[in-house]
Amino acid sequence: MSDAPDVEFDDRGLVPVIAQDAGTGDVLMLAYANHEALERTRETDRAHYYSRSRGQLWEKGATSGHTQSVREIRVDCDGDTLLYLVDQEGGACHTGHRTCFYRTVEGEHVGREEFDPDDVYD
Amino acid sequence: MSDAPDVEFDDRGLVPVIAQDAGTGDVLMLAYANHEALERTRETDRAHYYSRSRGQLWEKGATSGHTQSVREIRVDCDGDTLLYLVDQEGGACHTGHRTCFYRTVEGEHVGREEFDPDDVYD
């Protein structure tokens, strides 16, 4: 018998995942996982997601090298959101920023740039 | 002219919102905002969301007193996720925990209890 909480996937088979830097506490990104992405993450300790636009499983950093090593996975009270606590290699954001949340809603730039995306992506 | 990023609401008119404790960095909860909830949050500096189950605008803490005072709102690279940086009164979670992410996916209890929900909710 296990006390492991049930994870509630939505009608698309997805659950939102917040990735947080385990060291600094920075919220890095929000993405989605399906059952397979969660299982692969648990097996490998590398963050996996499901890309809604590409319609496929996605290992974070497989192209860019900016992988996320997962220290812990948490589940919220309702079981319908996950939190990956990660060690982020380089930057989490495809724009080159450390975190995807590099702007305020007023448009102020508050994030740090880690890399030039032209050097990383084709 | 403004550099304010566009917020991309989904086909339900919603955008996911991560609430993070501005002091400790704890990720507190994930909820959803519609356009009105975001506007009310910006006007009042109190976190507002849209309850999908109740189908209505919702001021966090209106019932429990566990309000969120919003210091800053961030937008992610794609404009389709928000981050509220908040000062949380009491606990964010209806279970009485400080954060909704009080369990690991293996079922370990890692969160702190702030209040007895029986004392707060009818």
Side-chain angles (χ1 to χ4, degrees):
Chain A
M1 206 175 95
S2 165
D3 287 338
D6 287 331
V7 176
E8 302 290 336
F9 296 92
D10 69 13
D11 50 15
R12 302 165 300 177
L14 301 177
V15 63
V17 182
I18 302 162
Q20 181 178 30
D21 188 304
T24 65
D26 287 342
V27 172
L28 298 171
M29 55 186 278
L30 182 87
Y32 294 84
N34 62 0
H35 185 269
E36 186 186 3
L38 176 58
E39 287 310 301
R40 291 287 296 154
T41 301
R42 296 184 68 173
E43 287 161 15
T44 64
D45 292 332
R46 295 271 188 152
H48 288 70
Y49 301 99
Y50 181 82
S51 168
R52 295 176 302 168
S53 56
R54 297 195 301 271
Q56 63 184 32
L57 187 75
W58 161 53
E59 181 186 344
K60 174 70 182 165
T63 302
S64 65
H66 297 154
T67 51
Q68 294 175 339
S69 178
V70 178
R71 285 201 212 172
E72 190 170 291
I73 302 173
R74 296 199 187 152
V75 182
D76 81 345
C77 49
D78 300 323
D80 62 3
T81 306
L82 300 177
L83 176 66
Y84 288 175
L85 294 170
V86 307
D87 293 312
Q88 172 70 54
E89 201 65 48
C93 187
H94 72 285
T95 61
H97 292 84
R98 177 74 181 168
T99 161
C100 295
F101 297 93
Y102 59 86
R103 298 172 300 178
T104 69
V105 74
E106 291 85 13
E108 189 188 353
H109 191 283
V110 292
R112 196 170 80 231
E113 284 170 76
E114 293 286 328
F115 63 90
D116 182 340
D118 289 342
D119 294 341
V120 173
Y121 303 102
D122 291 335
Chain B
M1 205 175 96
S2 165
D3 286 339
D6 286 331
V7 176
E8 302 290 335
F9 296 92
D10 68 13
D11 52 14
R12 301 165 299 177
L14 300 177
V15 62
V17 183
I18 302 162
Q20 182 178 30
D21 189 304
T24 66
D26 288 342
V27 173
L28 298 171
M29 55 186 276
L30 182 86
Y32 294 84
N34 61 1
H35 185 270
E36 185 186 2
L38 175 57
E39 288 309 301
R40 290 287 297 154
T41 301
R42 296 183 69 175
E43 288 162 13
T44 63
D45 293 332
R46 295 270 187 153
H48 288 71
Y49 302 98
Y50 181 82
S51 168
R52 295 176 303 168
S53 56
R54 296 195 302 270
Q56 61 184 33
L57 186 75
W58 161 52
E59 181 186 343
K60 174 70 181 163
T63 303
S64 65
H66 298 153
T67 51
Q68 295 175 339
S69 179
V70 178
R71 285 201 212 172
E72 191 170 290
I73 302 174
R74 295 199 187 152
V75 182
D76 81 344
C77 49
D78 300 322
D80 62 2
T81 306
L82 300 178
L83 177 64
Y84 288 176
L85 295 170
V86 307
D87 294 313
Q88 172 71 54
E89 201 63 49
C93 187
H94 72 286
T95 61
H97 292 83
R98 177 74 182 168
T99 161
C100 294
F101 297 94
Y102 59 88
R103 298 171 301 177
T104 69
V105 74
E106 291 85 12
E108 188 188 353
H109 192 282
V110 292
R112 195 170 80 232
E113 283 170 78
E114 293 286 329
F115 64 91
D116 182 341
D118 291 340
D119 294 339
V120 173
Y121 302 103
D122 291 333

